[in-house]
Amino acid sequence: MTHTGAAASPSNGMTGRQTRFIDAIAFEWIKVSSVRSTWWTLFAAAFITIGTGALGGGGADQGDTAEIVLKDIFIGLPIGQLAICLFGALAATSEYGTGSIRSTFTAVPKRPRLLAAKALVVCAVSLVTGLLISFGTYTAGSLSLGAAAPHPALSDGAVLRVVVGGGCCNWAYSESSRLSWAW
């Protein structure tokens, strides 16, 4: 028996059309947002970084400069970045543990498109989370400073660069960990 029908093209299974990049982004967002462990790692990063920022700000002395106070506030940033790295690794590997990778490759058979969508979702989540954590850490640390300690102000360009840079570093670390696990 011969088959004379046209070859089936990869589709998303619902409308018969090819999967677009925006569809792959939506798939990845659903996967990242539905796994509880990814949200717990982001919460852990926020708790560790903001908590140590408050403790670091509370330990600032009167004789410290604004730069030393800022360093004390962001002392927990590297530990929080480890949790962000774990988020990137979990986003890339969690579907292998559940077996949902098969349906992922069925829905998006083009792996470069899938990897780009996954990278974009992880980038967006970790960048926004990193910036929120960084500003939260600055705020908690500043509020815990004593009256005699110097207060670094966001209006100072160097302080703003440190705060924004801390959030961007979280994004970079999550991407590097995600890429190392994805390959």
Side-chain angles (χ1 to χ4, degrees):
M1 181 174 200
T2 60
H3 178 29
T4 58
S9 63
S11 68
N12 65 4
M14 295 168 55
T15 61
R17 63 177 168 79
Q18 284 209 333
T19 306
R20 300 174 300 171
F21 184 64
I22 193 77
D23 297 328
I25 292 171
F27 298 154
E28 291 303 321
W29 170 250
I30 289 169
K31 286 186 284 188
V32 165
S33 64
S34 64
V35 177
R36 278 183 272 153
S37 60
T38 57
W39 295 111
W40 279 109
T41 58
L42 295 176
F43 174 74
F47 182 76
I48 291 167
T49 308
I50 294 171
T52 56
L55 291 174
D61 295 329
Q62 179 180 355
D64 291 342
T65 64
E67 292 84 15
I68 292 174
V69 170
L70 197 59
K71 180 182 167 210
D72 289 345
I73 289 173
F74 282 100
I75 195 79
L77 189 63
I79 300 168
Q81 286 171 343
L82 289 175
I84 296 287
C85 287
L86 184 59
F87 163 72
L90 283 173
T93 61
S94 63
E95 52 191 331
Y96 287 96
T98 61
S100 65
I101 193 69
R102 291 185 294 270
S103 60
T104 299
F105 286 138
T106 302
V108 185
K110 295 182 179 179
R111 291 185 186 203
R113 180 179 294 169
L114 177 68
L115 188 59
K118 192 178 291 283
L120 185 64
V121 169
V122 170
C123 279
V125 170
S126 59
L127 181 63
V128 169
T129 304
L131 288 172
L132 289 173
I133 288 172
S134 190
F135 277 99
T137 302
Y138 170 79
T139 303
S142 295
L143 290 175
S144 67
L145 289 173
H151 288 45
L154 273 179
S155 59
D156 181 10
V159 174
L160 185 60
R161 282 192 298 274
V162 167
V163 174
V164 172
C168 291
C169 282
N170 282 336
W171 162 76
Y173 282 123
S174 74
E175 268 310 287
S176 64
S177 69
R178 186 203 59 78
L179 287 174
S180 66
W181 282 94
W183 296 106

